[in-house]
C-alpha cells in the first residue's frame, strides 16, 4: 500500500504512475512531480496524530505534520458507537487506542474522494469496520477491499447520525448530520461539499478549491435547499473550519449570494 504525498489517498497494487485524484481538474500534481509515501516511512519520521475535543461527543483528529491535504478527521461519538469522518492519511496504534477508548467504531465515511485518506488501513486497525463510499464516487477508489460498501441518497449510521448525498463538488459528495451536536441543535459535517469560509460567516460552493473553479448558482441553491430540510445550528468543514451558530441561515444566504454573483447581479462592482 502506497499513499499519495499530495492528497494522502491510499493505493493498492498496481499503483498508478500518477495519482488519478490529483491529475483531475479539481486537484493537482505538484511541479516537482508525483511522490509516494509509505506508512512505515511516515512513522519513521516521527509522524503523530493529535486529538482535540471540538465539543462534547465530537473529536477532531489531525496529523502532525500534515499528510497530503491535511484535513481534520472528525470522530462523532454516540451511545451506540462512533463514526470516523474524513479519515486522515496516517494511522498508528496510539491513534487507534485513543479512538477505541471512546467506544466501538460503527463505520468510516468520507465527504468525497479527496478525503478518502487511508480509510481501509483505518478500518483494518479498528477491527475491519465498514467503510462507506458513495456509489457515485466508487470509481475514485485507489484501494479496494471487501469491507467497503457503497450507498446512495441517505444512510442512517445510528439513531440521530445520518449521511446525506448532496453532489456538487463530486457527484457523491456528502455530509454527515449529527442531531445531538451543538447541544441538541444539530451539527453538519460537510468536508468541503459546502465550505465554511475564513470569515466564519459565509460558505463557498466550489468544484475545485485549489484551482478556483466554482459550481453554478443553480447547484449552490440546490444544495442549500436540500440541506435546509435538516435541523442544524453548526457546520464543521474538513479543516475544522466552522460556522459556530445560525449555520442554516448562513448556508441559505451564502447560496443566494453565490448565485447572484454567478448570474452577474454584481457586475457593476467589478
Amino acid at each position: 500500500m502506497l499513499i499519495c504525498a499530495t492528497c494522502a489517498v491510499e493505493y493498492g497494487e498496481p499503483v498508478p504512475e500518477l495519482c488519478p485524484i490529483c491529475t483531475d481538474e479539481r486537484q493537482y500534481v505538484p511541479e516537482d512531480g508525483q511522490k509516494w509515501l509509505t506508512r512505515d516511512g511516515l512513522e519513521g519520521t516521527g509522524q503523530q496524530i493529535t486529538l482535540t475535543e471540538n465539543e462534547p461527543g465530537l473529536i477532531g483528529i489531525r496529523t502532525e505534520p500534515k499528510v497530503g491535504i491535511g484535513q481534520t478527521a472528525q470522530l462523532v461519538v454516540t451511545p451506540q458507537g462512533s463514526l470516523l469522518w474524513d479519515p486522515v492519511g496516517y494511522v498508528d496504534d496510539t491513534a487507534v487506542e485513543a479512538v477505541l477508548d471512546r467506544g466501538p467504531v460503527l463505520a468510516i465515511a468520507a465527504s468525497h474522494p479527496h478525503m478518502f485518506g487511508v480509510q481501509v488501513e483505518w478500518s483494518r486497525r479498528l477491527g475491519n469496520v465498514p467503510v462507506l463510499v458513495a456509489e457515485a464516487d466508487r470509481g475514485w477508489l485507489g484501494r479496494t477491499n471487501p469491507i467497503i460498501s457503497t450507498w446512495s441518497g441517505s444512510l442512517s449510521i445510528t439513531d440521530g447520525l445520518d449521511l446525506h448525498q448532496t453532489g456538487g463538488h463530486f457527484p457523491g459528495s456528502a455530509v454527515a448530520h449529527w442531531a445531538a451536536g451543538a447541544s441538541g441543535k444539530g451539527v453538519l459535517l460537510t468536508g468541503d461539499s459546502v465550505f465554511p469560509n475564513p470569515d466564519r460567516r459565509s460558505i463557498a460552493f466550489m468544484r475545485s478549491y485549489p484551482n478556483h473553479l466554482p459550481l453554478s448558482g443553480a447547484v449552490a441553491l440546490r444544495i442549500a435547499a436540500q440541506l435546509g430540510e435538516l435541523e442544524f445550528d453548526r457546520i464543521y468543514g474538513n479543516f475544522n473550519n466552522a460556522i459556530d451558530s445560525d449555520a442554516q441561515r448562513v448556508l441559505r444566504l451564502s447560496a443566494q449570494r453565490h448565485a447572484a454573483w454567478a448570474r452577474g447581479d454584481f457586475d457593476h462592482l467589478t
Side-chain angles (χ1 to χ4, degrees), residues 28 51 54 62 81-83 87 112 147 152 173 180-182 228 233 244 246 251 253 267:
Y28 61 91
L51 287 78
N54 290 322
R62 294 191 304 154
S82 302
L83 168 69
H112 65 290
I147 50 88
S152 297
S173 282
D233 190 56
D244 289 329
D246 205 16
L251 175 63
L253 294 179
D267 284 358

Side-chain angles (χ1 to χ4, degrees), residues 7 15 23 29 41 56 61 65 81 104 129 143 164 172 182 188 218 239 244:
C7 69
V15 176
T23 57
V29 176
I61 302 174
V129 302
R143 184 183 182 187
H164 298 280
L188 281 187
F239 298 102
D244 289 329

Side-chain angles (χ1 to χ4, degrees), residues 166-203:
T166 64
H169 184 46
F170 275 79
S173 282
V175 304
H177 179 235
W178 178 39
S183 301
K185 296 179 182 178
V187 158
L188 281 187
L189 307 178
T190 62
D192 52 16
S193 300
V194 298
F195 186 85
N197 286 324
D199 63 8
R200 301 177 303 283
R201 53 190 174 86
S202 67
I203 285 168

Side-chain angles (χ1 to χ4, degrees), residues 18-48:
L18 296 174
C19 169
I21 286 176
C22 290
T23 57
D24 178 69
E25 68 177 0
R26 285 161 285 203
Q27 230 334 72
Y28 61 91
V29 176
E31 187 176 358
D32 58 354
Q34 178 71 53
K35 291 182 173 60
W36 298 99
L37 307 170
T38 65
R39 189 195 62 80
D40 290 343
L42 286 168
E43 196 168 52
T45 61
Q47 192 73 44
Q48 294 184 351

